[in-house]
Amino acid sequence: MNVLRWWKNLKILKGMYSLILFVAGVLHFVRERNFRKIVPETLPFKKGIVLITGVLEVAFAMLLWAKRGQSLVGKLLSFFMVLVFPANINMAVKNNTFYKGKKIHPLFLWMRLPLQIPLILGAIKLTHLSTEKKTK
């Protein structure tokens, strides 16, 4: 694969990941009460957790484009994705949805869980590849 095409593909993937993070982060503020419902009951300060994770997602969306510190960004983003995974599990277990009065088939909520794996690995890979490209 030629380097220019490879770099373009990397930018597209990074753009998609960044967009997902940004939209999800903004939704933490727009639909804060809905996000509170998926925070595990054992955790206190649900509203604070939702707002902080929203800020972090927006911050990570922007940090993916930073010229420096990509290795650290990747490690922190993948760690963040691991930390929020219990909320995704809680959502599936309790069949919580963000849509008032509408239920999603539980199978879809459970099928969503494995999607966290490419988000975790992608955080490391995308930032590592960005760093690798800059050093060549």
Side-chain angles (χ1 to χ4, degrees):
M1 179 185 289
N2 95 28
V3 174
L4 190 58
R5 199 158 122 220
W6 173 85
W7 187 242
K8 185 179 177 184
N9 289 341
L10 177 65
K11 281 188 164 186
I12 290 169
L13 288 173
K14 192 180 274 196
M16 289 170 44
Y17 200 149
S18 184
L19 182 63
I20 290 168
L21 286 169
F22 185 80
V23 170
V26 169
L27 285 174
H28 278 69
F29 297 94
V30 175
R31 304 261 187 240
E32 179 265 322
R33 285 187 177 174
N34 293 340
F35 276 88
R36 245 192 284 162
K37 292 176 187 174
I38 67 169
V39 175
E41 290 175 15
T42 56
L43 295 175
F45 313 114
K46 289 176 185 19
K47 183 175 182 174
I49 289 170
V50 169
L51 296 177
I52 289 168
T53 55
V55 167
L56 288 172
E57 286 183 348
V58 170
F60 279 125
M62 292 185 281
L63 286 170
L64 281 175
W65 298 99
K67 296 203 184 285
R68 293 180 179 215
Q70 284 294 291
S71 179
L72 180 60
V73 169
K75 289 173 186 169
L76 290 174
L77 178 53
S78 62
F79 182 63
F80 174 78
M81 289 296 169
V82 170
L83 288 178
V84 299
F85 192 62
N88 297 339
I89 293 170
N90 194 45
M91 186 177 189
V93 168
K94 295 197 170 197
N95 195 19
N96 277 338
T97 61
F98 294 134
Y99 307 104
K100 205 172 200 172
K102 295 181 183 179
K103 287 291 179 188
I104 295 175
H105 194 282
L107 180 64
F108 291 112
L109 296 173
W110 286 100
M111 286 173 40
R112 179 178 176 260
L113 296 178
L115 295 176
Q116 200 76 7
I117 295 167
L119 290 174
I120 293 165
L121 298 177
I124 294 170
K125 192 71 172 169
L126 283 174
T127 53
H128 175 73
L129 290 174
S130 291
T131 306
E132 199 175 85
K133 169 69 175 138
K134 289 175 188 171
T135 58
K136 287 186 178 180

